[in-house]
Amino acid sequence: MVTLSEENYLKAIYHLGKQGSVVVSTNAIAEQMETKASSVTDMIKKLADKNLANYIKYQGVSLTKEGRLAAASVVRKHRLWEVLLVEKLNFSWDEVHEVAEQLEHIKSEKLINELDAFLNYPEEDPHGDPIPDKEGNIKKVEKILLSQVDENQSCICVGVKDSSTDFLKYLDKHHISLGTSIKIISKEKFDESMTINVNNALINISKIVSNNIYVKKG
Amino acid sequence: MVTLSEENYLKAIYHLGKQGSVVVSTNAIAEQMETKASSVTDMIKKLADKNLANYIKYQGVSLTKEGRLAAASVVRKHRLWEVLLVEKLNFSWDEVHEVAEQLEHIKSEKLINELDAFLNYPEEDPHGDPIPDKEGNIKKVEKILLSQVDENQSCICVGVKDSSTDFLKYLDKHHISLGTSIKIISKEKFDESMTINVNNALINISKIVSNNIYVKKG
DNA sequence: ATATATTTTTAGACAAGACTAAAAATATAT
DNA sequence: ATATATTTTTAGTCTTGTCTAAAAATATAT
Ligand SMILES: [Mn+2]
Ligand SMILES: [Mn+2]
Ligand SMILES: [Mn+2]
Ligand SMILES: [Mn+2]
């Protein structure tokens, strides 16, 4: 039995582990989860006791095979629920995350499998993030940050790095969503802002924005 | 903020309160929730502190207006989720309860309203139980226990009192479901068992069974 | 290499929710 | 009316998950 709280820690370690080294620091987890380092240390020990994490004092933590599968299962549920909310229940992509945070902890094999089928086996969530399969495998899609595209190049928005409500609403306001074509008109050396063409409108976006939009060539 | 545990107690008091007097005893709650009387006393105090329950020591507990609304909201969510599971996700009526026990605690106004609309505003759950509206009102449908129907009378199954997996599977085996026509052929004085006609088959059911099936005349 | 800063762990406390055992209140039976 | 049985509450303990403050380990800078 994995508790709700343990699931949240597993998920945090899972996410932190794939952006950089597999070993994750106590402070990184604390920051991600908006909790205190001492709480993290306590929980890491419990995860290690349950064979969900590898832990060496002062050296950081990584997930075991079992822990990684448990984490991927939570992520799978989170993203499938997000698809349901957007596709069937009229949620917009900036409204789903909070509710999915709750739904991801519902325990029922049948429920998640039926949900998957009902949604026609989606491969991505409403933010362009891949949905792990039952074995925890995810389709690694090649995508780069908009900030890394050169002047005069065109690309297509395929995801967002920040999926906070604020950022997604900003994108809505500028009519940027998954599938939107973007052409880089010019880049400013000074502050790394860029002017882009979206739906034949020119808009200027800051480095922070271009650093949080994933695109593919085309 | 009402916690998950508080919601479960509210629901128990709500259910116990409508089958008999509105004031509910500590022991009755303990039995319903499979917990100890001392735990119930502790929780009742918390509910009273939050103005969700009226509590007089040694005299039992009842729900306040606010508590009744909170309880009805949990029941509403429970039953709407059960409808989703059966109508859209291929669950049978004996599989839904456990999962609905989890889903009923998800907090999101929008989610439950959209779910209601998506399901086309159902009035009953898969066991024939009425779904409270947003204000906590339920359509009181007149139904009687099968055990109370006289010999040679016909009736239609409109609900079940016991919705345990075991009982529902028993009904499945005998092809009794919501809407099934039942004619009482004979009643045994001795043990109050009865022989009934279901889909032109004669079956004998015990008092326990006839006491857990709701029917309407017709 | 040593002093300083940062990170991580430990120790001790707290709140929620549950339990056992004992005490107090209420109900029942003679 | 009094003794007995049942119900309910209290007192004290436990587990989970969190926190603060202090101690220990590790990293960084001169
Ligand atoms: Mn999300
Ligand atoms: Mn979560
Ligand atoms: Mn149910
Ligand atoms: Mn429940």
Side-chain angles (χ1 to χ4, degrees), chain B residues 23-26 41 44-45 48 53-62:
Chain B
V23 172
V24 173
S25 78
T26 301
T41 303
I44 286 173
K45 287 180 190 164
N54 308 115
Y55 171 52
I56 308 170
K57 255 193 206 178
Y58 294 102
Q59 299 301 125
V61 69
S62 62

Side-chain angles (χ1 to χ4, degrees), chain B residues 181-199:
Chain B
S181 269
I182 298 172
K183 181 170 184 190
I184 288 76
I185 305 300
S186 65
K187 276 172 137 173
E188 192 64 56
K189 274 253 169 56
F190 168 57
D191 63 357
E192 299 187 77
S193 68
M194 52 168 68
T195 298
I196 60 176
N197 182 321
V198 174
N199 297 318

Side-chain angles (χ1 to χ4, degrees), chain B residues 10 42-43 54 59 73 78 96 135 145 162-163 195 202 209:
Chain B
L10 288 172
D42 284 349
M43 182 57 84
N54 308 115
Q59 299 301 125
S73 162
H78 183 105
V96 296
E135 284 76 39
L145 290 171
D162 174 0
S163 38
T195 298
L202 293 188
V209 170

